[in-house]
């Protein structure tokens, strides 16, 4: 063996010597740049909310010096965010509870109990995801009006149930299909019916996908603006986006007050997202495996 070949073999077999991973460094730089892009609106929101009008006029995006928290108190009282937050909380929590109960139960039936009919029902739920709900806004509004449910909580809950239930069933069905059937079958052999097997065995295993369902549906329902404006406008039960919209129109020249109101409106759903974000990837992983 020549000296050149020996040196090459030695260099290849020497531990601890690796070529620089330039691709990994480039990917990290791209991810860092993407993080800066996504965090910039949050920085602008917090910065403007903690400045008085003079500081905003002088340098809107510089750090507040000194910061002021008076905008948050003024925004809370001027925009009537307390009642709006209560309305949004009632509608969102009630809709989520019903979506979890009905979505998980229906998905269990489609994934484990149904045979030929179950596939057809599953396709119908998928069509509910594909078809945009804007196509039925006028008939839905007429139906809610005929029922006398305009300006009521249950009218909004019924609307969100119809809109979000197909997506919820889709998520739960994929996750349940990926779960091992041994535990539920053992419960059935021991004398449990399907309802008992689901409530005692299967549903506790659905914690990851339930967290995903809560986050995705809560973000949609909490941030929805058009539907509450249409169904709850003028009823005194307006949700946070509608309340902030009227507040922005009234105080459009006072940007510190406006951005403080926006920050207070986004804070509850942001807290929920941070608490449950680890379940999102787990939920989608289980559904994709199914």
């Amino acid at each position: 063996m020549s000296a050149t070949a020996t040196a090459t073999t030695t260099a290849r077999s020497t531990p601890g010597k690796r070529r620089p991973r330039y691709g990994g460094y480039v990917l990290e730089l791209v991810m860092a740049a993407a993080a800066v892009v996504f965090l910039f609106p949050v920085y602008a929101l917090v910065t403007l909310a903690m400045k008085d009008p003079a500081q905003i006029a002088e340098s809107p995006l510089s750090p507040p010096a000194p910061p002021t928290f008076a905008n948050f108190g003024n925004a809370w009282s001027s925009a009537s965010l307390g009642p709006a937050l209560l309305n949004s909380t009632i509608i969102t929590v009630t809709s989520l509870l019903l979506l979890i109960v009905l979505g998980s139960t229906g998905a269990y039936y489609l994934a484990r109990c149904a045979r030929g009919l179950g596939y057809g029902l599953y396709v119908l739920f998928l069509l509910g995801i594909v078809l945009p709900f804007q196509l039925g806004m006028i008939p839905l509004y007429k139906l809610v009006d005929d029922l006398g449910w305009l300006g009521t909580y249950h009218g909004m809950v019924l609307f969100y149930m119809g809109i979000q239930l197909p997506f919820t069933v889709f998520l739960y069905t994929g996750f349940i299909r990926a779960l091992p059937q041994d535990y539920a079958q053992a419960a059935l052999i021991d004398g449990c019916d399907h309802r008992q097997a689901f409530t005692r065995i299967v549903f506790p295993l659905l914690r990851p996908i339930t967290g995903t369902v809560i986050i995705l549906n809560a973000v949609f329902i909490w941030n929805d603006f058009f539907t509450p404006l249409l169904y709850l406008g003028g009823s005194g039960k307006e949700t946070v986006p509608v309340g902030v919209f009227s507040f922005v129109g009234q105080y459009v020249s006072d940007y510190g007050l406006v951005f403080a109101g926006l920050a207070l409106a986004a804070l509850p759903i942001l807290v929920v997202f941070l608490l449950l974000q680890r379940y999102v990837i787990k939920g989608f992983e289980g559904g994709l495996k199914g």
Side-chain angles (χ1 to χ4, degrees):
M1 183 180 296
S2 62
T4 304
T6 303
T8 304
T9 304
T10 304
R12 290 178 179 177
S13 60
T14 301
K17 294 183 179 180
R18 297 181 180 179
R19 295 182 179 180
R21 299 177 59 183
Y22 296 108
Y25 298 145
V26 172
L27 180 60
E28 291 179 359
L29 290 176
V30 172
M31 295 302 295
V36 171
V37 171
F38 282 103
L39 288 176
F40 177 76
V42 179
Y43 167 78
L45 175 66
V46 176
T47 300
L48 291 172
M50 301 176 65
K51 285 185 173 183
D52 55 33
Q55 291 179 342
I56 294 176
E58 181 180 354
S59 181
L61 294 180
S62 63
T68 177
F69 296 94
N71 290 330
F72 294 97
N74 296 333
W76 179 272
S77 58
S78 300
S80 300
L81 287 180
L85 286 171
L86 179 61
N87 296 332
S88 290
T89 301
I90 292 174
I91 294 173
T92 303
V93 171
T94 306
S95 300
L96 288 177
L97 290 176
L98 293 175
L99 285 171
I100 291 172
V101 172
L102 297 180
S104 60
T105 306
Y108 178 77
Y109 174 80
L110 294 177
R112 296 290 171 84
C113 303
R115 295 296 180 262
L117 179 62
Y119 181 76
L121 293 175
Y122 185 68
V123 172
L124 289 178
F125 278 110
L126 293 182
L127 289 177
I129 299 175
V130 175
L131 295 177
F133 75 92
Q134 289 85 354
L135 294 177
M137 284 303 299
I138 295 178
L140 284 174
Y141 182 86
K142 186 68 170 60
L143 174 63
V144 174
D145 188 19
D146 292 339
L147 293 173
W149 289 356
L150 286 179
T152 62
Y153 292 138
H154 47 275
M156 290 300 305
V157 171
L158 178 65
F159 175 85
Y160 289 127
M161 284 288 299
I163 295 300
Q164 295 300 104
L165 189 59
F167 181 62
T168 303
V169 170
F170 170 75
L171 293 178
Y172 272 120
T173 303
F175 194 88
I176 292 174
R177 285 175 177 172
L179 290 176
Q181 301 186 25
D182 300 339
Y183 299 112
Q185 289 178 352
L188 294 174
I189 294 174
D190 290 339
C192 294
D193 55 19
H194 281 289
R195 179 185 60 82
Q196 294 171 332
F198 172 74
T199 56
R200 298 178 182 180
I201 305 299
V202 177
F203 188 76
L205 299 176
L206 301 181
R207 186 179 302 173
I209 194 62
T210 299
T212 305
V213 167
I214 291 175
I215 289 179
L216 297 181
N217 286 319
V219 170
F220 172 79
I221 296 172
W222 187 274
N223 292 331
D224 186 24
F225 168 73
F226 178 71
T227 307
L229 179 65
L230 185 64
Y231 287 77
L232 299 176
S235 65
K237 296 181 179 179
E238 290 87 354
T239 56
V240 169
V242 179
V244 171
F245 173 74
S246 60
F247 171 72
V248 169
Q250 184 178 0
Y251 296 95
V252 67
S253 59
D254 193 343
Y255 292 104
L257 208 59
V258 168
F259 280 92
L262 294 174
L264 290 173
L267 184 59
I269 199 64
L270 178 62
V271 172
V272 173
F273 178 81
L274 293 177
L275 291 176
L276 299 178
Q277 62 175 338
R278 62 192 180 99
Y279 292 112
V280 175
I281 302 301
K282 292 182 180 179
F284 277 119
E285 284 179 352
L288 291 175
K289 289 178 182 178

